[in-house]
């Protein structure tokens, strides 16, 4: 298999920068190599199973960076949940917020396992990713427009805001919405944040919830799929994958730090416009 260190670095950079931007890291992992062309385009189209494993490995590197940025939140949620379980008092906000995160993770995990072969069959096809990226842009615009009718909330306690506006039922709905990100081109972060906006969270809190919800999905996919790195032809590329994963980790850490500040006062519109332009241009190029 021809996957060079330069291509691994490019893939890792794409993954890291776009993972927590609402523009779909998987979509970009397909479209940018397709635009570059040559052996890079041939690799993603002809060896898409290996390339899927590569992107999952780099997703795992992103999840480590994501955990480090939000480590205090995660430790507080996990610690508060264990305290609630020990005391048999399940009304703490930490217990409820962590429960909503786990509930919202179940649908995407189940659908990913059930329809995994189908999603893999269309993975690596730029025209599909272009269509889904365009749809992603439309969804972001719709979420912004529909959420404007709600009163914006301002709170220094994101967990309290999430607890006040998310419940078990909406967590299931958000989980099924997040499942759309199984299509390369639909952003997991974008879908989750949009759902948060529609549940009357402000941009800062909705983005926090989306950041938190991203971690278990990525880790779960890695646990299920990454053992195949060592039992398939992809094991020939472990050096390249390691280099790309390091790049992905660094790029993710930088991009998440930027986005946390961005969503304190900014909207999804710039990302939506970008998705529409890049998605339509890519569809015209590869359809």
């Amino acid at each position: 298999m021809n996957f060079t260190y330069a291509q691994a670095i490019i893939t890792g950079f794409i993954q890291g920068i776009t993972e927590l931007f609402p523009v779909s890291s998987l979509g970009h992992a397909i479209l940018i190599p397709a635009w570059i062309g040559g052996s890079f385009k041939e690799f993603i189209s002809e060896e898409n199973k290996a390339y899927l494993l590569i992107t999952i490995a780099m997703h795992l590197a992103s999840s480590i960076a994501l955990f480090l940025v939000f480590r205090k939140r995660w430790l507080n949620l996990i610690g508060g949940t264990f305290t609630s379980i020990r005391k048999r008092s399940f009304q703490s906000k930490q217990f409820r917020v962590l429960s909503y995160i786990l509930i919202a993770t179940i649908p995407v995990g189940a659908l990913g396992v059930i329809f995994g072969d189908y999603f893999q069959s269309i993975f690596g096809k730029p025209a599909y990713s272009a269509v889904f990226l365009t749809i992603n842009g439309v969804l972001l615009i719709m979420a912004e427009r529909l959420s404007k009718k709600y009163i914006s909330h301002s709170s220094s306690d994101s967990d309290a805001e999430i607890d006040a506006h998310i419940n078990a039922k909406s967590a299931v709905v958000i989980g099924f919405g997040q499942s759309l990100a199984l299509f390369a081109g639909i952003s997991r972060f974008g879908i989750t944040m949009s759902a948060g906006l529609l549940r009357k969270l402000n941009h800062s809190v909705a983005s926090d919830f989306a950041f938190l919800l991203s971690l278990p999905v990525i880790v779960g996919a890695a646990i299920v799929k990454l053992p195949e790195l060592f039992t398939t032809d992809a094991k020939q590329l472990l050096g390249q994958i390691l280099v790309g994963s390091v790049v992905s980790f660094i790029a993710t850490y930088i991009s998440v730090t930027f986005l946390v500040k961005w969503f304190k006062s900014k909207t999804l519109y710039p990302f939506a416009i970008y998705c529409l332009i890049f998605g339509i241009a890519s569809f015209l190029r590869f359809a």
Side-chain angles (χ1 to χ4, degrees):
M1 291 185 290
N2 185 22
F3 185 65
T4 67
Y5 279 94
Q7 291 167 350
I9 291 171
I10 292 171
T11 303
F13 182 76
I14 294 169
Q15 161 59 31
I17 289 295
T18 60
E19 172 58 34
L20 279 309
F21 276 69
V23 297
S24 177
S25 59
L26 278 180
H28 280 72
I30 298 300
L31 291 174
I32 292 180
W35 277 97
I36 292 174
S39 62
F40 207 177
K41 180 180 179 181
E42 292 175 6
F43 182 80
I44 66 169
S45 59
E46 295 178 5
E47 303 288 350
N48 55 37
K49 183 174 182 178
Y51 191 59
L52 178 60
L53 293 174
I54 290 167
T55 60
I56 291 174
M58 294 182 186
H59 272 72
L60 181 61
S62 290
S63 74
I64 296 172
L66 183 61
F67 176 79
L68 290 178
V69 173
F70 285 89
R71 61 189 180 278
K72 292 182 180 179
R73 290 282 300 281
W74 276 111
L75 293 176
N76 178 57
L77 288 172
I78 295 170
T81 296
F82 275 116
T83 298
S84 295
I85 293 173
R86 189 177 69 250
K87 294 182 177 180
R88 296 187 178 182
S89 174
F90 306 113
Q91 298 306 312
S92 72
K93 65 185 177 185
Q94 291 90 349
F95 178 84
R96 288 197 294 265
V97 170
L98 188 59
S99 297
Y100 301 150
I101 291 171
L102 295 177
I103 290 170
T105 302
I106 293 172
V108 65
L111 292 174
V113 172
I114 295 170
F115 298 105
D117 289 342
Y118 171 73
F119 290 117
Q120 185 170 307
S121 70
I122 64 174
F123 184 79
K125 297 181 179 179
Y128 281 93
S129 294
V131 170
F132 292 127
L133 187 63
T134 304
I135 294 173
N136 186 70
V138 173
L139 292 175
L140 297 183
I141 291 174
M142 290 175 60
E144 284 287 358
R145 292 182 66 85
L146 291 173
S147 66
K148 282 188 177 295
K149 64 182 180 181
Y150 300 130
I151 298 173
S152 179
H153 300 270
S154 179
S155 172
S156 59
D157 190 341
S158 288
D159 290 338
E161 284 293 309
I162 293 169
D163 187 26
H165 296 284
I166 303 294
N167 55 38
K169 182 178 179 180
S170 61
V172 172
V173 174
I174 291 170
F176 277 104
Q178 187 183 203
S179 301
L180 292 173
L182 292 168
F183 294 102
I186 302 293
S187 167
R188 180 188 306 107
F189 178 86
I191 286 290
T192 308
M193 183 172 174
S194 296
L197 291 175
L198 296 176
R199 291 298 302 175
K200 306 182 184 180
L201 300 177
N202 65 23
H203 285 80
S204 179
V205 178
S207 64
D208 277 358
F209 184 55
F211 286 133
L212 292 172
L213 195 52
S214 296
L215 187 61
V217 175
I218 297 172
V219 173
I223 291 173
V224 172
K225 298 296 292 185
L226 284 191
E228 295 181 28
L229 280 176
F230 306 97
T231 59
T232 65
D233 291 341
K235 64 184 178 182
Q236 303 171 24
L237 307 172
L238 292 180
Q240 293 92 316
I241 293 170
L242 178 61
V243 170
S245 296
V246 171
V247 173
S248 178
F249 170 86
I250 296 170
T252 300
Y253 195 94
I254 294 171
S255 67
V256 172
T257 304
F258 167 79
L259 282 176
V260 168
K261 296 177 181 177
W262 172 277
F263 284 119
K264 290 186 182 297
S265 59
K266 303 295 194 302
T267 71
L268 291 166
Y269 282 125
F271 305 106
I273 294 169
Y274 166 80
C275 288
L276 289 174
I277 293 173
F278 190 39
I280 292 171
S282 296
F283 181 76
L284 294 175
R285 171 68 176 81
F286 300 114

